[in-house]
């Protein structure tokens, strides 16, 4: 599944994890899915999707993958991993909100001397800050 663009691969991994979840029997408190099944078959594609979306700075999609990972960890009884995934979800949601609020520039805005360089420096700072969002 590693042929195609990074976006396609991440989307396929997320879809694959969702299909794996859908193929499980309906949840029953008396007979929940085994932690081994969830950790072996559902969590690896979710982690790959999260890593792919993180590299692309696709925060909304990363938040979805982190949310599902958190739910799967909770079902598997892995509380510490659930909390880490939930923190990544919150950080990705926050990054998505900030990215949506960021004003878009126009080419004419950068015509004055030094403005483009300052904007590029600001983008480098933002990129470094966003890269820290998915570093766990």
């Amino acid at each position: 599944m590693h042929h195609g663009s990074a976006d396609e691969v991440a989307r396929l991994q997320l879809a694959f994890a969702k299909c794996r979840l859908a193929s499980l029997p309906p949840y029953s408190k008396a007979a929940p899915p085994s932690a081994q099944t969830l950790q072996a078959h559902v969590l690896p594609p979710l982690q790959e999707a999260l890593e792919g979306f993180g590299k692309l700075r696709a925060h909304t999609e990363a938040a979805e993958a982190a949310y599902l990972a958190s739910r799967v960890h909770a079902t598997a009884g892995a509380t510490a991993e659930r909390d880490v995934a939930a923190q990544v979800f919150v950080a990705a949601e926050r990054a998505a909100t900030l990215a949506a609020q960021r004003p878009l520039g126009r080419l004419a805005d950068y015509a004055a001397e030094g403005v483009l360089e300052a904007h590029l420096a600001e983008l480098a700072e933002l990129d470094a800050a966003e890269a820290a969002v998915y570093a766990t």
Side-chain angles (χ1 to χ4, degrees):
M1 263 211 258
H2 293 285
H3 302 288
S5 73
D7 181 60
E8 290 171 335
V9 171
R11 289 183 187 281
L12 283 172
Q13 290 292 353
L14 182 59
F16 184 63
K18 288 179 177 180
C19 289
R20 286 284 176 107
L21 282 171
S23 70
L24 293 173
Y27 182 81
S28 161
K29 195 168 189 170
S34 74
Q36 183 179 9
T37 299
L38 294 173
Q39 291 172 345
H41 300 292
V42 178
L43 288 172
L46 278 177
Q47 185 61 37
E48 286 188 37
L50 180 60
E51 290 171 7
F53 290 133
K55 288 177 186 174
L56 295 169
R57 307 294 187 262
H59 304 300
T60 303
E61 292 83 355
E64 181 181 2
Y67 175 79
L68 285 174
S70 179
R71 296 290 306 261
V72 170
H73 282 302
T75 301
T79 307
E81 291 87 351
R82 177 205 63 198
D83 293 344
V84 169
Q87 289 172 348
V88 171
F89 167 74
V90 169
E93 282 283 301
R94 186 176 309 119
T97 302
L98 290 175
Q101 294 171 349
R102 193 172 302 128
L104 300 175
R106 295 184 316 248
L107 187 57
D109 295 340
Y110 305 116
E113 188 174 329
V115 174
L116 179 60
E117 290 78 9
H119 179 69
L120 291 175
E122 180 184 353
L123 287 178
E125 290 174 16
L126 289 171
D127 193 46
E130 289 180 355
V133 168
Y134 302 105
T136 56

